[in-house]
Amino acid sequence: MEPALRAVCKDVRIGKILIQTNQDTGEPELHYLRLPKDIGEDHVILMDCTVSTGAAAMMAVRVLLDHDVQEDKILLVSLLMAEMGVHSVAYAFPQVKIITTAVDKKVNDVFHIIPGIGNFGDRYFGTDAPPDWSDDDMDEPSY
């Protein structure tokens, strides 16, 4: 998503927040943080390809708030979100604007959106999806 943003907004300032979900606990963990100076004065587009439970997105919003970004200046952009993630983020941070292309209903036991696009990293890097991933036994999402 970042290359597309850079192609459209040539002079955009980019920061990075790497948050990964611990597969054993299901909790988000902050691994890397680099934000532009004076980010508190800016509108921020927080990009996350997929949001399942919303825990990592909420941690990222909390990091931005801790760096003096106003909640109403944060825009969460995602390709796909689970219903649970939308509700979690919207309830915790009602002034954050959420934009997504689709919302699916379910999250499986390893926190992947079902039916979703599988693990976005698997799709992007061409690796195999987990052996237990299947959309054959899932109901069609209703919108």
Side-chain angles (χ1 to χ4, degrees), residues 2 8 10-11 14 18 29-30 33 36 40-41 44 54 59 69 72-73 77 93 102 104 113 117 121 126 132 139:
E2 181 185 328
V8 175
K10 304 277 186 217
D11 61 345
I14 300 285
L18 174 60
E29 297 175 345
L30 178 63
L33 175 65
E41 301 171 9
V44 174
M59 178 181 269
V69 176
D72 64 345
K73 289 187 173 183
V77 176
F93 304 104
D104 281 347
I113 301 169
I117 56 175
D132 66 340
D139 297 328

Side-chain angles (χ1 to χ4, degrees), residues 28-47:
E29 297 175 345
L30 178 63
H31 291 275
Y32 181 79
L33 175 65
R34 183 181 58 95
L35 298 174
K37 291 180 182 175
D38 302 322
I39 192 171
E41 301 171 9
D42 297 334
H43 283 82
V44 174
I45 301 172
L46 178 59
M47 298 184 297

Side-chain angles (χ1 to χ4, degrees), residues 105-121:
K105 292 235 175 247
K106 299 181 182 179
V107 174
N108 68 13
D109 59 343
V110 290
F111 312 108
H112 291 167
I113 301 169
I114 299 298
I117 56 175
N119 183 330
F120 185 81

Side-chain angles (χ1 to χ4, degrees), residues 46 48 51 57 74-78 81 89 96-99:
L46 178 59
D48 192 347
V51 176
I74 300 171
L75 176 68
L76 174 60
V77 176
S78 181
M81 297 181 79
V89 174
V96 169
K97 293 164 200 71
I98 300 172
I99 296 178

